Amino acid sequence: MIILHFHTGTDNMITQYVNMLADVMKEYAEVYAATSLISFRKQLHKHHPDIIHIHGCWSVQTAMAAHTAMRNGVRIVLTPHGQLEQWIINQNYWKEKLPKTIAFQRRIVNKAYTVIAMGRMEENNLKRMKWTTRIETVRNPLITEAITEAEAGALIHAVYRKVTDTNVLQLMDKTTARAIRPLIKAGLTGNHLWLSDTEYTLFRNPEDISWRKIMIYAAQENIIETIRRGISVLGISVPDFPAESVPHYLPNKFIPSCPISDIEGSDDNKRLVAMICKAKKFVSSGRLTIYNMVELTSTLLQNNIDDGKLKELLSDKNLLKFAGRLMKTAEDMTGLDEGFMPVKTIDDRKTNNIKSTINKHLEI
């Protein structure tokens, strides 16, 4: 793990704190620090950090460092060092704090994977602000004897680990990301023969796949049993661990996966239409997930669908084109075979938007 700290260097207490963290975390990570934007940009491109830890608020330099990190896809952790306390915000509020809040400060807090408070009072204040729900509390050993430097380093490292175990789909290499689709396919069909030669080739060297990331992703998206069945069907030996209990962060307005298959009725065609209708509503509200695509694919694999009747029902509800886009999404993300598709696939911009909605479900 590579960490790059940024602070302006104008606050001696922050400088001491960063130096302390760098010293006690040597055994956990590669740690670097920058106090100017020139140094920051050089180290960003030289070291390719996993996390950029921003210290302090209200500085234009700090804001530029944070925005540079976001543009480069690097995750941010923010320690305000008390600078988001209400009494500080009230100082020169109208001329400085309010404009800076609007210009950058609120967005930095909102987009940081977590904000680290140094005490309960600061934590409670951050909660009252409602700029983020992702708040951790780690006391500063330089100003209190309630925690040692080693303990603080261990707790901060745990925060970093939690950050890197969040939205792991974004962190997967191409080989690992490509393995998800055939694993779902094998898990749903229960037969490795459904996989193409290209898909099967992915698993010839299992060590090339980051199984930890796959299992964490599957647990967070509620498809872990399907993935585990897929692994079993393919006869792959994978170190198992309690992925469901791995700490991670969620978006501020996160909505857990909700089923689209909880539809009553004995008519398979009408149930499928109701599922597709529900899926469309989920897309509109940004709630469609890979879990829903697994549900849809499972339904299509198990039920007897009258294609003609289904198309008529879909047409009556103006869902035919959306169903085609959903079939293409299921094909690309769960390996749904053409023979089980009741309508022709549609691959267009709206289809890509559906897939983007699914992939952004855990995005901070």
Side-chain angles (χ1 to χ4, degrees):
M1 185 182 294
I2 303 173
I3 310 299
L4 174 58
H5 293 274
F6 180 80
H7 61 108
T8 60
T10 57
D11 187 311
N12 289 333
M13 181 58 72
I14 292 179
T15 300
Q16 291 178 47
Y17 181 80
V18 171
N19 290 339
M20 178 273 295
L21 279 186
D23 185 54
V24 300
M25 293 190 68
K26 288 178 181 177
E27 62 179 291
Y28 301 122
E30 289 183 46
V31 184
Y32 304 93
T35 57
S36 72
L37 288 173
I38 293 174
S39 174
F40 172 76
R41 290 176 179 132
K42 285 182 178 179
Q43 295 196 61
L44 174 64
H45 296 294
K46 179 180 179 180
H47 302 300
H48 304 288
D50 299 294
I51 293 170
I52 288 173
H53 193 154
I54 302 287
H55 298 266
C57 302
W58 309 116
S59 162
V60 174
Q61 278 187 295
T62 298
M64 292 177 70
H67 291 155
T68 299
M70 286 186 276
R71 282 199 305 271
N72 284 271
V74 185
R75 302 181 172 194
I76 297 171
V77 169
L78 172 66
T79 299
H81 291 270
Q83 294 177 19
L84 290 178
E85 293 283 6
Q86 194 60 52
W87 68 274
I88 290 182
I89 294 176
N90 289 341
Q91 293 177 6
N92 205 14
Y93 177 75
W94 294 105
K95 290 185 178 180
E96 179 192 7
K97 298 304 185 345
L98 180 59
K100 287 183 176 180
T101 293
I102 296 170
F104 58 78
Q105 194 58 65
R106 182 168 186 158
R107 182 169 186 267
I108 292 171
V109 172
N110 183 264
K111 296 301 291 183
Y113 272 66
T114 189
V115 178
I116 301 178
M118 291 185 169
R120 294 300 174 194
M121 186 178 297
E122 186 178 15
E123 177 189 346
N124 292 334
N125 181 66
L126 289 167
K127 288 177 179 178
R128 283 194 297 270
M129 292 176 74
K130 296 182 179 179
W131 288 5
T132 183
T133 58
R134 300 180 299 277
I135 302 168
E136 301 282 354
T137 299
V138 180
R139 295 184 181 278
N140 184 349
L142 299 180
I143 60 176
T144 177
E145 295 181 353
I147 188 172
T148 67
E149 293 183 0
E151 288 169 340
L155 288 173
I156 295 293
H157 177 259
V159 169
Y160 293 158
R161 189 62 172 172
K162 194 172 175 180
V163 169
T164 57
D165 284 337
T166 294
N167 190 23
V168 291
L169 180 65
Q170 190 182 57
L171 300 177
M172 290 181 188
D173 58 67
K174 291 181 180 179
T175 300
T176 301
R178 283 199 297 264
I180 295 172
R181 176 180 180 267
L183 285 170
I184 292 174
K185 189 175 182 179
L188 290 175
T189 61
N191 192 331
H192 71 278
L193 296 177
W194 283 98
L195 271 62
S196 67
D197 291 341
T198 301
E199 290 172 326
Y200 211 83
T201 300
L202 286 169
F203 305 103
R204 287 182 179 170
N205 297 303
E207 64 276 6
D208 293 339
I209 296 171
S210 176
W211 293 103
R212 188 177 190 277
K213 285 187 174 66
I214 284 183
M215 299 306 287
I216 290 174
Y217 169 74
Q220 292 172 3
E221 288 287 30
N222 199 25
I223 59 169
I224 194 162
E225 292 308 318
T226 301
I227 292 294
R228 282 178 173 149
R229 281 196 301 271
I231 291 171
S232 177
V233 166
L234 295 174
I236 304 169
S237 178
V238 176
D240 200 8
F241 70 101
E244 297 93 332
S245 61
V246 170
H248 62 284
Y249 296 107
L250 295 169
N252 288 323
K253 296 182 180 179
F254 176 74
I255 300 175
S257 294
C258 299
I260 60 171
S261 59
D262 56 344
I263 309 294
E264 295 182 358
S266 57
D267 188 314
D268 288 345
N269 295 286
K270 290 182 179 180
R271 288 185 68 253
L272 183 56
V273 170
M275 286 178 64
I276 293 171
C277 185
K278 196 170 183 179
K280 187 174 184 180
K281 291 179 181 178
F282 279 14
V283 170
S284 299
S285 59
R287 296 171 57 194
L288 194 71
T289 68
I290 188 67
Y291 169 72
N292 299 134
M293 300 313 299
V294 168
E295 286 183 284
L296 178 66
T297 299
S298 178
T299 298
L300 290 169
L301 291 174
Q302 294 175 16
N303 293 336
N304 294 317
I305 304 297
D306 184 326
D307 291 1
K309 183 178 179 181
L310 180 71
K311 289 177 184 178
E312 184 179 333
L313 291 170
L314 290 170
S315 182
D316 288 344
K317 292 184 176 293
N318 198 28
L319 287 171
L320 202 54
K321 286 188 176 179
F322 177 75
R325 295 183 180 106
L326 212 56
M327 293 304 113
K328 177 58 179 174
T329 303
E331 178 184 38
D332 291 349
M333 304 191 85
T334 66
L336 179 64
D337 189 87
E338 183 181 0
F340 291 93
M341 295 180 190
V343 298
K344 186 177 179 180
T345 62
I346 297 176
D347 191 4
D348 60 9
R349 179 179 56 81
K350 290 184 178 180
T351 305
N352 290 332
N353 288 341
I354 293 172
K355 289 187 279 190
S356 179
T357 295
I358 293 169
N359 287 333
K360 289 182 177 181
H361 181 232
L362 298 173
E363 186 177 277
I364 301 297

